[in-house]
Amino acid sequence: MRGAIVGAALIMGLLVLAVLPHRDPLAPDIDHGLTAVGAPLPPSADSPLGTDHLGRDVWARVCAGAGTSLEIATLSTLLALLLGLAVGLTAGYAGGAVDNALMRLVDLVLAFPFLLLAILLAALLREANLASSNGPVVLTLGVVGWTTIARVIRGKTLSLARSEYVTAARALGGSPWRIIVRHVLPNVAGIVIVVAALGFAQNLLAESVLSYLGLGPPPPAPTWGRMLYEGRVYYRTAPWLSIAPGIAIVTAVVGFNLLGEGLRDLLDPRARGPKARPR
Amino acid sequence: MSGASILRRLAWTALVVWFVVTATFAMTLAIPADPAKALLGPHATPEAVERVRAYYCLDKSFIEEYGCYVSRIAHADLGESFRSKRPVRAIIAARIWPTVQLALAAILLQLLVGVPLGLLAAARKNRWPDHAANLVGLLGQSAPTFFVGTLLLYLFAYRFGWFPIGGYGSGLVGRLAHLVLPAATLATVGVAYYARVVRSELVEALEEDYVRTARAKGLSERTVLVRHALRNALGPLVTLVGLDLGLLLGGAVVTEYIFAWPGLGREVLQAILDVDLPLILGVVLVSAIAIAVANLVVDIVYMWIDPRLRG
Amino acid sequence: MKRLLLILIAAACSAPDRGPHWRAGTSTTPHDGGTLRFSTKDTLRTLDPAIAYDDVSPPILHAIFDTLVDYEPARAGDPTSGLAIVPRLAERWEIAPDGRTYHFWLRAGIAYEDGKPIVAADFKTSLERVLGMPDSPFGQYLTPLDGAADVIAGKATTCAGIEVIGDRELVFHLANPDATFLYVLAMTFSAPLRADHLAAVGDQMYRHPLASGPYMLESWDEGQRIMLRRNPHYVDPARAHLARIEMLESIPSDTQFLMFERGELDTAERLTSPDTLWLREQPAWQPFVHDRATMNAYGIRMNVRVKPFDDRRVRQALNYALDKQHAVKLLNGGAVPSHGLLPPGMFGRDDTLAPYPHDPAKARALLSEAGYPHGFDVDYVTINDEEAEKLAASYQADFGEVGVRTHITILSVPAFASAIGRPDGPPFSYDGWVGDFPDPANFLDVRFHSRMIANENSNNVSFYANPELDALLDRARAETDRAARAAMYHRAERILYDDAPWVWDFHRAMTEVTQPYVRGYEPHPVWGRDYTSTWLDDKVPR
């Protein structure tokens, strides 16, 4: 329980960061934001985290990055949720052969290495040149991440489908859709929040990896992952370029992990199966 | 463990392999570029282009192209890399052993560090070692791999000079020296899961009846912990190892890049940036098959140890 | 336990000694032996000189293959050195007064790595191979030869313009005089190859070179490491002091520098921006830092057939909108603003032409005149390279100031190359040109002559066709009087300056740092990293 509260607090902090007023994080300031020879400026009274390699205020980018990174993670998690809910509810409610088939499908998708698939998709989508800047990344993460959600939801739905309420409602002849919405969804909501939080954390990390490899949203997008990508080579002369977004990422991920796990312990203390994270 | 269940698992694995093959084939169709031109380059003669198109059955129907593809896979012909024109099979064969070494080393480290950590946490449940272990695990889980990797590289290879900066190394000692940091980077993420599994199983086991009985019989607490309870954790640990093997065989892309480790991950990263389709798809295929096989092995091992535990 | 932690923290916080670990070598005569180790962040694709056309292969291929002529070595402190042509496999040559016949006499004793002698016929074999190879990008350089066009078109297998006289004499017959021909013969693809070797290796030529130069292939773990060793049959000991040359592939730039500092590499180039800046502030390293201007030009290329770039005023406006000091700063002083393609020091460059000044007001005025008072939106395409992305962000800001709103798209290098080379591809993109040889024809003809326009993989990626310029370039190429040639290229530069098919930005220099015991090395204006005369002194710890 305590973990969940700490997690929530961290997340609140990040949201505050996202709405704080700050300087323009996008426009390079090569004339004044860099030293005479073109190096980033160190932290100063004027600029608490210094500037990056294009003269942009790092603090501003971290704040703006909160917005962008969280937006990407939110959208991709929502996408994954939608897909996962659709598959999981169907499988759990219908049971039998349909359940079998859908779960086998999930297993098959899981057969592909997550990161590899994400990188592949991101690269292909980039080549296909989609108009929006965040689209490819969101799509990639959503499409790759729905499987765990589907599995968890299916499990819960299966047990709910056998409950008295649902059996009665079915006997009364209600449409499956209404039954799901009235009886299953409210009870699944708790679990959904948990997997959403954990999935969010995973997507946040995955976006930073994609950006680090240069496959994330194109410049001048201020995502934390991209900041790590751009600041990477400065780790000896301007470590603040990497430390700031790095801490931000870790904080956000820790926050969501704590929240998710705290909520899960609350709702279902026994449901702690082994799960490894792709790297 | 019945022969029937093994057969079922084998059949399932075969299905997974077939699915992966088909899915990678579907991906080749989705690419707009002309594979023949991409393979031969911009100055190719029309005859050469024709030859390649015929070889890959590009001019025939979907079904025939698919059949072509499957039969090539069955002959272990994964095509040629667009960039280097070498057979994909040869490239993968050259790169797979380093990735396997890295995967095994990472798993070993995870076990060596995670299990004792979990034991400690369970034995001192809810006291500070437990919380500290939890925190370490949480941080390790939440930090991006490239963050950890760069940190380890800078500190232990460059600053302290204890390990080489990158590369593969030769000879047993050299190889081990080059292996430590990348394996440690990968292990940082997984330690948390292993420790947590061990801790939770131990905590449960400590409450089991037979442990109480053993205590009553006067066996030392240490023996009780290690012997009886640890065996319970074996099952979930095996599952984790299996999952990990699969994931790591998918190529620890970022880690291999940072440490210049010549494995599949680095190879495929370069291939993806170059849009070198045959190589990308070859690696995806091989990784997915490796994962399926690893899962199969894990299931079989689990079935083997399971009746003895839970009987 | 706590003490250990404290020690570790103290060690981590203390500044490491990042100076050279060795003293400068002081021997006066070159030593033989040792292995020179360096790295690249890319990978080597092929060792076939007829195909290799990138910036990874020159250090390796130039060590393996010798050609009839070569460039003199570069001399430290003399930025104009390194461009003169000197004999290599040829002993001497005579050019007929009409400029259409080149007669070469081969040096005595030249041999391949297997000891067999290099004979004149081998040059014919390798050149005809290049002409007949559709994959080779070098066929176009041989078109001045009689009969070359027929071989390229597949109508003939031998080139009439290459005449072999015995084992030691070679005569080239050109259809028209061509000032660039000697330079072409210095390019690595014209290295001799024996017919029996080609037949034996078949399509494995990419990893079975036949060395005619000071070094030969010892081993190649593709994508990982290539090792060369001295060619025992090489005749010139001054170019083969090292016993081995080793190149590691796929090493990121920052890792390269870490390895260099630790002594695991003998030389490092293409340092990251922070490493370059740090290096310049280290007095201890200054004697070992080599800066050299190489032949290149970078900027933004526009497809002049596509709106709005078909209007000259728009193109000029973009030139006025760009602040070239930004690139200089972003590249840490390793760049020089440009007014055109020809780099400083190149023959035929009009040094009186100043780069477009940064004048946003003028840019806006021109845009208004052209009918874009509120600017316009455009997609800027660039490659997935950190520097290119940095420049892209800077361009975006500069153009945004005058109302041109750019959206940045990043593509991988192969995707970029194939997208750009087509008339219907992205009209506004990053571009750079690294010269093959130090002659304006290699710059201006390739990029702006209308005959270089193709529908796929066009070299003239601006799709710029100006008959006046074409005629000028054609005449200049065949002109034998140097002063007249220079005047023609001056005119050509001015035409291109006014027509502005590019947004001209900068020329860049290369910076390389070597360990104190590396001697006899100077980066070359044409070859870049060229280790053929390098030698390793004793390693005396500091």
Side-chain angles (χ1 to χ4, degrees):
Chain A
M1 189 56 219
R2 196 167 30 164
I5 296 181
V6 172
L10 288 173
I11 296 171
M12 279 294 118
L14 286 170
L15 288 174
V16 166
L17 218 63
V19 298
L20 274 179
H22 49 72
R23 292 217 197 93
D24 181 8
L26 300 180
D29 184 6
I30 301 178
D31 297 320
H32 306 293
L34 297 173
T35 64
V37 287
L41 293 174
S44 64
D46 196 35
S47 187
L49 284 177
T51 59
D52 72 358
H53 64 295
L54 280 170
R56 302 177 291 207
D57 184 42
V58 174
W59 172 249
R61 279 180 76 78
V62 170
C63 291
T68 318
S69 298
L70 292 177
E71 177 194 318
I72 292 178
T74 306
L75 288 175
S76 53
T77 307
L78 276 176
L79 181 60
L81 260 180
L82 268 156
L83 288 170
L85 265 175
V87 173
L89 284 174
T90 317
Y93 188 76
V98 174
D99 172 33
N100 233 343
L102 281 174
M103 283 304 107
R104 290 294 162 242
L105 176 67
V106 168
D107 282 341
L108 288 173
V109 173
L110 277 174
F112 285 93
F114 167 80
L115 194 61
L116 220 49
L117 200 57
I119 297 177
L120 178 61
L121 262 175
L124 287 178
L125 286 172
R126 182 176 74 178
E127 301 295 316
N129 210 356
L130 288 188
S132 141
S133 352
N134 290 344
V137 183
V138 170
L139 212 64
T140 302
L141 295 177
V143 163
V144 171
W146 63 270
T147 46
T148 323
I149 297 176
R151 264 217 181 126
V152 171
I153 294 187
R154 169 249 186 195
K156 193 81 172 136
T157 314
L158 260 181
S159 61
L160 280 174
R162 288 184 198 26
S163 75
E164 298 141 5
Y165 293 104
V166 177
T167 327
R170 259 170 156 153
L172 284 174
S175 82
W177 180 240
R178 279 192 55 209
I179 298 179
I180 290 182
V181 169
R182 286 195 56 191
H183 295 288
V184 178
L185 264 184
N187 290 311
V188 171
I191 280 287
V192 167
I193 294 179
V194 172
V195 291
L198 292 174
F200 195 98
Q202 186 189 61
N203 279 341
L204 203 61
L205 266 175
E207 181 268 316
S208 75
V209 175
L210 285 177
S211 293
Y212 182 79
L213 296 173
L215 292 166
T223 73
W224 293 330
R226 185 151 187 103
M227 291 176 71
L228 277 168
Y229 169 66
E230 291 169 350
R232 195 185 86 242
V233 293
Y234 290 91
Y235 68 88
R236 281 193 292 181
T237 51
W240 58 87
L241 290 183
S242 306
I243 292 177
I247 291 182
I249 291 179
V250 172
T251 307
V253 174
V254 166
F256 279 97
N257 271 334
L258 278 176
L259 184 66
E261 282 171 15
L263 287 176
R264 178 174 58 191
D265 284 345
L266 209 63
L267 291 170
D268 202 2
R270 301 207 118 245
R272 238 181 299 118
K275 193 168 74 97
R277 176 165 75 93
R279 65 207 78 161
Chain B
M1 176 170 73
S2 64
S5 54
I6 297 190
L7 273 178
R8 245 203 318 235
R9 299 307 285 140
L10 273 171
W12 172 242
T13 308
L15 182 69
V16 169
V17 170
W18 170 83
F19 172 77
V20 167
V21 168
T22 311
T24 49
F25 172 71
M27 285 192 242
T28 63
L29 297 177
I31 312 310
D34 179 0
K37 289 252 179 79
L39 181 61
L40 293 171
H43 307 276
T45 61
E47 296 84 44
V49 174
E50 263 322 295
R51 221 183 336 115
V52 169
R53 292 184 74 83
Y55 180 71
Y56 286 97
C57 306
L58 292 174
D59 290 326
K60 309 220 181 93
S61 66
F62 271 174
I63 305 291
E64 290 181 300
E65 206 183 324
Y66 178 58
C68 228
Y69 179 78
V70 171
S71 92
R72 276 205 322 275
I73 303 285
H75 288 100
D77 174 7
L78 295 165
E80 284 175 6
S81 155
F82 283 169
R83 245 196 31 170
S84 64
K85 316 288 189 283
R86 294 166 62 210
V88 169
R89 171 180 56 198
I91 300 179
I92 293 181
R95 297 281 164 251
I96 202 166
W97 175 225
T99 295
V100 169
Q101 288 175 71
L102 191 55
L104 291 176
I107 291 175
L108 192 65
L109 267 180
Q110 275 165 188
L111 285 170
L112 284 176
V113 175
V115 170
L117 213 59
L119 283 174
L120 180 66
R124 303 272 177 272
K125 188 164 94 119
N126 290 331
R127 303 220 286 278
W128 77 262
D130 184 16
H131 294 308
N134 206 14
L135 186 65
V136 166
L138 186 64
L139 284 177
Q141 223 181 302
S142 310
T145 321
F146 51 86
F147 202 49
V148 174
T150 314
L151 195 66
L152 290 180
L153 178 72
Y154 177 69
L155 267 183
F156 297 107
Y158 172 71
R159 271 309 206 98
F160 301 155
W162 294 347
F163 301 102
I165 290 183
Y168 196 36
S170 51
L172 183 63
V173 178
R175 182 62 48 75
L176 283 175
H178 281 88
L179 202 44
V180 171
L181 289 182
T185 306
L186 291 172
T188 311
V189 171
V191 156
Y193 292 100
Y194 285 60
R196 205 176 311 167
V197 158
V198 169
R199 178 192 184 280
S200 86
E201 290 297 335
L202 250 56
V203 163
E204 256 184 62
L206 280 173
E207 260 114 74
E208 293 276 323
D209 278 346
Y210 65 83
V211 173
R212 287 211 197 101
T213 322
R215 268 209 185 121
K217 280 199 197 144
L219 293 170
S220 84
E221 192 161 331
R222 252 261 205 92
T223 322
V224 160
L225 265 180
V226 177
R227 255 211 267 140
H228 295 274
L230 204 48
R231 265 202 229 133
N232 273 6
L234 207 53
L237 273 180
V238 165
T239 314
L240 269 182
V241 168
L243 276 175
D244 252 353
L245 251 186
L247 286 168
L248 291 171
L249 288 177
V253 177
V254 175
T255 308
E256 287 185 11
Y257 169 72
I258 292 178
F259 290 97
W261 185 260
L264 269 187
R266 193 168 77 144
E267 192 71 44
V268 83
L269 177 62
Q270 192 55 50
I272 287 174
L273 294 175
D274 289 337
V275 199
D276 186 349
L277 278 174
L279 186 51
I280 298 172
L281 293 172
V283 174
V284 170
L285 192 61
V286 168
S287 316
I289 292 178
I291 292 176
V293 169
N295 282 340
L296 178 67
V297 169
V298 162
D299 279 344
I300 293 183
V301 170
Y302 202 105
M303 273 194 258
W304 179 66
I305 53 174
D306 195 70
R308 293 234 303 255
L309 291 178
R310 318 269 177 181
Chain C
M1 180 69 198
K2 267 201 206 138
R3 183 117 60 95
L4 179 61
L5 264 171
L6 281 173
I7 293 179
L8 280 179
I9 294 178
C13 293
S14 66
D17 171 21
R18 296 179 64 186
H21 299 308
W22 294 275
R23 282 205 220 129
T26 47
S27 309
T28 43
T29 54
H31 296 193
D32 283 344
T35 304
L36 182 81
R37 304 155 300 169
F38 66 103
S39 76
T40 172
K41 76 176 184 44
D42 299 305
T43 56
L44 197 53
R45 319 270 175 107
T46 174
L47 294 174
D48 184 350
I51 298 192
Y53 196 34
D54 53 26
D55 45 10
V56 188
S57 46
I60 297 294
L61 289 189
H62 190 240
I64 296 180
F65 295 105
D66 262 8
T67 44
L68 281 171
V69 294
D70 199 343
Y71 298 95
E72 56 166 4
R75 286 178 300 278
D78 182 0
T80 59
S81 64
L83 297 177
I85 290 277
V86 299
R88 186 65 74 214
L89 290 176
E91 184 180 62
R92 61 187 174 91
W93 62 90
E94 271 169 22
I95 308 178
D98 67 351
R100 293 178 49 206
T101 312
Y102 288 67
H103 193 136
F104 286 88
W105 286 264
L106 297 184
R107 200 171 158 171
I110 49 179
Y112 293 103
E113 61 182 82
D114 53 11
K116 299 214 181 107
I118 301 175
V119 299
D122 295 341
F123 289 90
K124 188 169 164 79
T125 307
S126 81
L127 289 171
E128 281 169 354
R129 174 173 183 254
V130 167
L131 284 168
M133 233 173 145
D135 289 35
S136 172
F138 303 114
Q140 50 161 313
Y141 290 110
L142 297 172
T143 46
L145 285 169
D146 278 337
D150 286 337
V151 182
I152 293 179
K155 295 195 203 130
T157 46
T158 63
C159 179
I162 308 177
E163 183 193 342
V164 172
I165 306 176
D167 276 350
R168 309 260 314 277
E169 285 178 55
L170 194 58
V171 184
F172 295 101
H173 301 279
L174 275 58
N176 291 302
D178 192 311
T180 66
F181 192 63
L182 261 189
Y183 290 128
V184 169
L185 289 178
M187 292 176 74
T188 312
F189 74 82
S190 67
L193 283 173
R194 270 200 333 261
D196 63 338
H197 175 84
L198 287 172
V201 298
D203 62 352
Q204 294 295 298
M205 186 60 205
Y206 83 96
R207 60 172 299 141
H208 286 101
L210 182 63
S212 44
Y215 293 92
M216 54 187 278
L217 177 69
E218 180 178 275
S219 67
W220 184 20
D221 183 3
E222 293 182 49
Q224 266 295 99
R225 189 187 85 137
I226 185 170
M227 185 74 99
L228 306 180
R229 70 160 191 274
R230 195 189 296 132
N231 175 358
H233 300 280
Y234 193 67
V235 284
D236 187 357
R239 291 186 78 224
H241 296 296
L242 299 165
R244 284 191 162 74
I245 297 180
E246 177 182 0
M247 180 172 87
L248 298 174
E249 303 178 54
S250 306
I251 307 281
S253 307
D254 46 338
T255 310
Q256 175 206 210
F257 196 57
L258 286 180
M259 292 171 77
F260 175 80
E261 283 188 57
R262 281 265 306 260
E264 294 176 27
L265 290 176
D266 300 313
T267 157
E269 194 238 337
R270 291 204 199 191
L271 307 179
T272 61
S273 173
D275 287 336
T276 311
L277 286 174
W278 176 85
L279 195 62
R280 292 206 191 286
E281 289 166 16
Q282 306 305 308
W285 279 110
Q286 282 325 297
F288 313 111
V289 175
H290 313 268
D291 285 308
R292 177 144 309 252
T294 47
M295 312 179 305
N296 57 58
Y298 293 88
I300 301 176
R301 138 259 165 216
M302 297 173 277
N303 183 341
V304 305
R305 293 188 188 168
V306 171
K307 269 184 156 25
F309 307 110
D310 56 345
D311 188 329
R312 191 163 91 147
R313 291 167 295 194
V314 171
R315 301 197 299 264
Q316 288 176 342
L318 291 171
N319 268 283
Y320 281 111
L322 186 68
D323 185 343
K324 292 183 241 315
Q325 288 309 314
H326 285 176
V328 174
K329 214 169 177 189
L330 286 177
L331 295 174
N332 308 121
V336 156
S338 67
H339 67 250
L341 267 193
L342 301 184
M346 167 99 8
F347 166 75
R349 182 181 204 255
D350 185 350
D351 292 319
T352 64
L353 206 48
Y356 275 85
H358 178 223
D359 194 339
K362 183 133 189 212
R364 267 184 242 113
L366 279 168
L367 284 173
S368 280
E369 229 185 271
Y372 301 97
H374 305 294
F376 54 88
D377 292 281
V378 72
D379 217 37
Y380 171 75
V381 180
T382 185
I383 54 176
N384 63 348
D385 168 74
E386 281 170 61
E387 261 183 21
E389 294 179 25
K390 233 175 16 176
L391 290 168
S394 169
Y395 295 155
Q396 195 180 43
D398 283 346
F399 294 142
E401 247 192 277
V402 302
V404 175
R405 295 165 292 277
T406 45
H407 174 257
I408 299 176
T409 302
I410 300 184
L411 295 179
S412 65
V413 173
F416 177 84
S418 71
I420 299 305
R422 303 192 0 234
D424 58 348
F428 191 58
S429 73
Y430 169 80
D431 203 3
W433 175 249
V434 179
D436 299 310
F437 49 81
D439 190 278
N442 184 243
F443 286 71
L444 302 178
D445 285 38
V446 175
R447 276 300 193 225
F448 298 120
H449 196 296
S450 65
R451 79 176 129 78
M452 287 306 207
I453 294 180
N455 279 329
E456 234 179 75
N457 293 99
S458 177
N459 271 320
N460 181 341
V461 285
S462 303
F463 300 97
Y464 175 79
N466 182 338
E468 189 195 344
L469 183 73
D470 286 351
L472 199 55
L473 291 177
D474 288 337
R475 279 204 337 266
R477 186 131 170 207
E479 176 61 59
T480 43
D481 175 50
R482 268 179 82 82
R485 253 193 117 212
M488 288 184 216
Y489 282 119
H490 283 3
R491 279 265 338 269
E493 278 230 287
R494 194 150 287 269
I495 294 177
L496 287 169
Y497 180 87
D498 291 332
D499 264 355
W502 266 36
V503 179
W504 315 106
D505 201 1
F506 59 92
H507 308 284
R508 57 163 347 151
M510 71 177 269
T511 303
E512 187 170 1
V513 61
T514 52
Q515 300 286 5
Y517 50 79
V518 173
R519 307 284 303 283
Y521 177 67
E522 187 63 25
H524 197 273
V526 178
W527 301 118
R529 301 169 99 167
D530 175 24
Y531 301 113
T532 46
S533 305
T534 311
W535 52 278
L536 298 176
D537 207 336
D538 303 316
K539 291 183 177 182
V540 179
R542 250 205 341 182

